[in-house]
Amino acid sequence: MASFKIEGGHLLSGEIRPQGAKNEALQVICATLLTSEAVTIHNIPNIRDVNNLIQLLKDIGVKVKPTPNPSQRDGRGFSFQADALNMDFLESDEFVEKCAQLRGSVMMIGPLLARMGKAVIAKPGGDKIGRRRLDTHFLGFQKLGAKFRQIKNRDVYELFAKRLKGAYMLLDEASVTGTANIIMAATMAEGTTTIYNAACEPYIQQLCHMLSQMGAKISGIGSNLLTIEGVKTLHGADHTLLPDMIEVGSFIGMAAMCGNGIRIKDCSLKNLGIIPDAFRRLGVKVEEEGDDLYIPHQKHYVVDSFIDGTIMTLADAPWPGLTPDLLSVLIVVATQGRGSVLFHQKMFESRLFFVDRLIDMGAQIILCDPHRAVVVGHDRQRQLRGSRMSSPDIRAGIALLIAAMSANGTSLISNIEQIDRGYENIEHRLNALGAHIERI
């Protein structure tokens, strides 16, 4: 198990470019299973979760070939061709074990069910941030006509359907992965599928645009009401991933805490939603220049209050609300602001428990319950102090790394494999800005 040794207190400056979007990559890579023709995807991040998914596709017979990199902005690319799938491998213990280690594997179910009429479900892995149910996925598949069967003596279920049939459905929650899975299944269902209360994040929109390139008929893209007319076959396409908006937000937080003027290049500002404004509510200056963001050095940043003077509250919500993946970073930024903030994490009951590590570093945080925490900012009058800690999940991991970079003294973060799941080559990229991070 690797760790990061961080020498805090160094100001960072320069330019940094966000990687391709992790969550979009997991969706569109799974969508390549819908056709026997080649699908080329550019700007794929070189991170653990994505690489594990690519290997899983190779294991079931998908031909994966690297493509030329025409420019830095396009990042690394691969061609995926699923023209000779090994369906027997889906029954193997090796497949089930690999799925159990990778939550993104659940999005293989929709494409396999649509094209091959069969898929196997194992309990997926991922962050340990509380209950993350899959009911939305399964209820959607049932609406489309799929049946379930438990495989005896194994914690595995098989889904099967000779031909899915379009249906009207109201999703019980606006699940991003659930919406993606159902969209992919519905593209080849017989008839029309209407999905109400669909997630509408930019990554879902990107998936729909790629599927449309492949010949799918989808209307309502960008809204929470999608209509999909099923087609018999899909064909190849060429697709480029968006920049990762969670990484953009992480870099804004890093620049606020320990930056001396940082430019975040090629952010795709129109797809960031309210992320920049969330940091502005904490008093952080976020300047938009073309498609870049520039965060100048601030000796102090003052937390806003509401018009009636009440304490600032930041809460996660389905898109276009604030993504829950950035609350951890916002909490760290608030520890050095002037003022107090109530954070309300509504979607996951265990995601705020990482604040114990920040309290050990000297932060003034009151954990009210599993969903709410109040942060009383230090206004940079007191630095956080270096500490030994462990990364519980991807987003808390990057938040603790930001805290350690701003802290007085040396910190040690273990279990950084969690950070590697979502952030590409992070220590080298941050060291290029002036950070002192060593992988040990």
Side-chain angles (χ1 to χ4, degrees):
M1 184 179 291
S3 301
F4 279 148
K5 182 180 178 182
I6 306 104
E7 183 182 297
H10 297 279
L11 288 177
L12 279 57
S13 61
E15 295 182 352
I16 193 166
R17 188 184 305 271
Q19 67 191 27
K22 167 186 178 276
N23 292 337
E24 181 187 348
L26 296 175
Q27 293 174 22
V28 299
I29 289 173
C30 289
T32 64
L33 293 169
L34 285 164
T35 178
S36 62
E37 296 185 17
V39 178
T40 301
I41 303 174
H42 305 281
N43 203 26
I44 296 177
N46 186 11
I47 55 176
R48 185 181 295 262
D49 275 10
V50 170
N51 293 340
N52 286 346
L53 180 62
I54 292 172
Q55 183 58 52
L56 193 56
L57 263 62
K58 289 180 180 178
D59 290 340
I60 64 171
V62 179
K63 299 180 180 72
V64 181
K65 298 178 181 177
T67 59
N69 182 4
S71 72
Q72 185 181 5
R73 291 187 64 173
D74 286 337
R76 69 169 186 163
F78 290 100
S79 169
F80 300 85
Q81 188 162 9
D83 58 348
L85 295 180
N86 178 10
M87 297 303 291
D88 291 337
F89 183 75
L90 299 176
E91 307 281 356
S92 69
D93 290 337
E94 183 182 356
F95 175 77
V96 171
E97 184 179 342
K98 288 187 174 183
C99 288
Q101 297 171 4
L102 176 65
R103 185 170 181 82
S105 65
V106 74
M107 284 181 289
M108 295 170 60
I109 300 170
L112 288 172
L113 193 58
R115 183 171 161 219
M116 311 304 293
K118 178 181 177 181
V120 176
I121 303 170
K123 186 177 180 181
D127 287 330
K128 308 305 179 188
I129 52 177
R131 185 172 63 97
R132 304 177 75 182
R133 62 191 181 89
L134 297 175
D135 298 59
T136 304
H137 303 243
F138 303 152
L139 292 171
F141 297 144
Q142 284 183 314
K143 285 279 190 180
L144 294 173
K147 304 294 183 185
F148 290 79
R149 178 170 58 219
Q150 185 174 13
I151 299 177
K152 292 183 179 180
N153 304 319
R154 301 168 73 192
D155 190 18
V156 172
Y157 286 83
E158 182 182 79
L159 280 81
F160 55 94
K162 286 185 178 180
R163 181 77 191 272
L164 297 175
K165 295 185 181 296
Y168 168 86
M169 62 185 78
L170 171 62
L171 302 189
D172 63 332
E173 63 173 350
S175 163
V176 176
T177 56
T179 300
N181 228 343
I182 296 166
I183 289 170
M184 290 186 281
T187 56
M188 297 176 69
E190 183 180 340
T192 299
T193 300
T194 303
I195 309 172
Y196 214 165
N197 195 31
C200 53
E201 271 79 354
Y203 305 146
I204 290 287
Q205 298 175 39
Q206 285 284 97
L207 172 66
C208 290
H209 291 315
M210 189 182 95
L211 291 172
S212 296
Q213 268 197 72
M214 295 168 66
K217 297 180 179 179
I218 305 173
S219 59
I221 298 173
S223 75
N224 68 348
L225 177 59
L226 295 174
T227 303
I228 303 166
E229 296 179 46
V231 297
K232 289 186 177 180
T233 59
L234 295 173
H235 51 74
D238 192 289
H239 179 77
T240 301
L241 301 182
L242 290 175
D244 194 310
M245 64 180 176
I246 310 303
E247 192 171 69
V248 172
S250 301
F251 292 155
I252 296 173
M254 176 192 69
M257 288 288 284
C258 46
N260 193 27
I262 291 179
R263 178 176 299 276
I264 309 170
K265 297 286 294 179
D266 302 323
C267 295
S268 188
L269 297 184
K270 67 180 182 180
N271 290 299
L272 292 180
I274 65 170
I275 288 173
D277 286 336
F279 286 95
R280 291 181 181 119
R281 286 188 166 193
L282 299 183
V284 178
K285 291 181 181 177
V286 183
E287 300 172 2
E288 299 179 6
E289 299 178 4
D291 210 23
D292 299 349
L293 290 176
Y294 180 73
I295 295 84
H297 173 71
Q298 289 178 258
K299 190 173 182 180
H300 301 278
Y301 47 94
V302 181
V303 177
D304 282 349
S305 60
F306 289 113
I307 293 174
D308 61 0
T310 53
I311 184 173
M312 173 56 58
T313 300
L314 290 176
D316 60 337
W319 188 269
L322 180 62
T323 171
D325 283 347
L326 278 176
L327 280 193
S328 302
V329 173
L330 287 160
I331 287 171
V332 169
V333 173
T335 65
Q336 292 302 319
R338 182 188 298 167
S340 301
V341 189
L342 170 63
F343 289 93
H344 193 169
Q345 165 61 268
K346 299 177 181 178
M347 297 176 68
F348 304 106
E349 66 266 23
S350 303
R351 208 164 199 171
L352 292 184
F353 291 159
F354 90 102
V355 301
D356 286 347
R357 283 82 160 178
L358 298 178
I359 294 170
D360 289 342
M361 297 176 78
Q364 296 185 97
I365 301 176
I366 304 164
L367 186 60
C368 308
D369 56 44
H371 292 279
R372 295 177 301 161
V374 175
V375 181
V376 181
H378 287 163
D379 191 22
R380 298 197 194 274
Q381 298 303 306
R382 285 187 293 168
Q383 269 187 288
L384 299 177
R385 54 181 176 266
S387 178
R388 296 177 67 96
M389 44 200 158
S390 177
S391 172
D393 64 73
I394 300 175
R395 308 310 175 186
I398 199 70
L400 292 175
L401 181 60
I402 293 169
M405 287 192 294
S406 72
N408 181 26
T410 299
S411 298
L412 192 69
I413 303 177
S414 61
N415 196 29
I416 60 169
E417 287 81 7
Q418 287 285 357
I419 301 175
D420 291 337
R421 289 178 48 220
Y423 293 85
E424 178 179 333
N425 204 16
I426 190 65
E427 72 271 27
H428 296 292
R429 297 162 72 200
L430 298 185
N431 285 342
L433 298 177
H436 287 214
I437 305 170
E438 181 185 0
R439 182 182 291 259
I440 58 176

